[in-house]
Amino acid sequence: SAVISQKPSRDICQRGTSLTIQCQVDSQVTMMFWYRQQPGQSLTLIATANQGSEATYESGFVIDKFPISRPNLTFSTLTVSNMSPEDSSIYLCSVRYGGALTGELFFGEGSRLTVL
Amino acid sequence: EDQVTQSPEALRLQEGESSSLNCSYTVSGLRGLFWYRQDPGKGPEFLFTLYSAGEEKEKERLKATLTKKESFLHITAPKPEDSATYLCAVQAEGVRGSTLGRLYFGRGTQLTVWP
């Protein structure tokens, strides 16, 4: 299994500010995924981050709101921009070994954001 | 429209009382069904992947099974440490506009096992 470290683990933010979440993986992976888990809701994919190319965003998520960086094969960041209370959620980084269509998906511990 | 539905939403069991959690899915072209365990304040922990109807996998007190429409997570003689939220997810070919490798998650079943 993968060791996936996320920082920060939790934060309390003011409305209108931005916060960057970091994700570090202990081995090289091609695809990294960012999910959001809102209270009482299922995990929802925000975007897929591939090294060397622009991130691919799911419907309802845009780059201006959730810019993503993927500078190398073991690291990615997700920024939550211009935050509002509706952005209060757990943000999870995940990786998949064995290719995009096979293998297990492993998650980091998550970053719990509270926006006041 | 939800691709994955889990039931019940919450389940309380006495220690040793076996039961099952259900995960039904509506996608076509299933490429894999995944079970995760999530403890409060933690990320989901991978448990099983099932790929075809009839497949079964076991791990300690947990056993996952798969049919063409649903999966069950059977918990035999549960202990309080089995208390967690159990998540089900599917990967499918038949979801329009699906991102390659994307998993669709259910909302989970919150299991509480009391001594």
Side-chain angles (χ1 to χ4, degrees), chain A residues 16-53:
Chain A
T17 63
S18 299
L19 182 78
T20 296
I21 302 167
Q22 299 180 3
C23 178
Q24 179 76 51
V25 186
D26 66 340
S27 58
Q28 295 183 343
V29 292
T30 302
M31 299 175 76
M32 296 177 75
F33 305 88
W34 286 98
Y35 281 82
R36 182 173 72 180
Q37 187 175 30
Q38 294 180 305
Q41 303 296 316
S42 58
L43 272 75
T44 302
L45 181 64
I46 297 171
T48 303
N50 295 326
Q51 194 269 337
S53 63

Side-chain angles (χ1 to χ4, degrees), chain A residues 8-84:
Chain A
S9 59
R10 59 178 61 233
D11 207 340
I12 299 174
C13 307
Q14 296 298 317
R15 181 195 298 260
T17 63
S18 299
L19 182 78
T20 296
I21 302 167
Q22 299 180 3
C23 178
Q24 179 76 51
V25 186
D26 66 340
S27 58
Q28 295 183 343
V29 292
T30 302
M31 299 175 76
M32 296 177 75
F33 305 88
W34 286 98
Y35 281 82
R36 182 173 72 180
Q37 187 175 30
Q38 294 180 305
Q41 303 296 316
S42 58
L43 272 75
T44 302
L45 181 64
I46 297 171
T48 303
N50 295 326
Q51 194 269 337
S53 63
E54 296 234 344
T56 303
Y57 289 83
E58 297 298 307
S59 176
F61 298 96
V62 295
I63 187 171
D64 290 345
K65 176 67 175 177
F66 298 101
I68 287 172
S69 77
R70 183 79 201 274
N72 57 52
L73 291 174
T74 62
F75 187 79
S76 179
T77 67
L78 170 75
T79 298
V80 186
S81 303
N82 188 26
M83 287 185 285
S84 66

Side-chain angles (χ1 to χ4, degrees), chain B residues 91-102:
Chain B
Q91 180 181 347
E93 296 174 343
V95 179
R96 184 175 181 169
S98 173
T99 296
L100 187 68
R102 175 181 180 173

Side-chain angles (χ1 to χ4, degrees), chain A residues 103-104, chain B residues 31-35 46-51 55 57:
Chain A
E104 289 78 34
Chain B
R31 297 191 68 98
L33 186 140
F34 302 77
W35 282 99
F46 172 77
L47 292 174
F48 304 109
T49 307
L50 302 168
Y51 291 103
E55 188 175 359
K57 288 191 176 175

Side-chain angles (χ1 to χ4, degrees), chain A residues 1 106, chain B residues 35-37 45-49 56-65 73-76 82 86:
Chain A
S1 65
F106 296 98
Chain B
W35 282 99
Y36 290 84
R37 168 191 172 127
E45 174 191 347
F46 172 77
L47 292 174
F48 304 109
T49 307
E56 298 182 353
K57 288 191 176 175
E58 290 189 61
K59 180 180 180 179
E60 297 180 354
R61 294 178 292 281
L62 301 177
K63 177 180 175 181
T65 62
L73 185 65
H74 307 278
I75 303 177
T76 303
D82 294 323
Y86 291 85

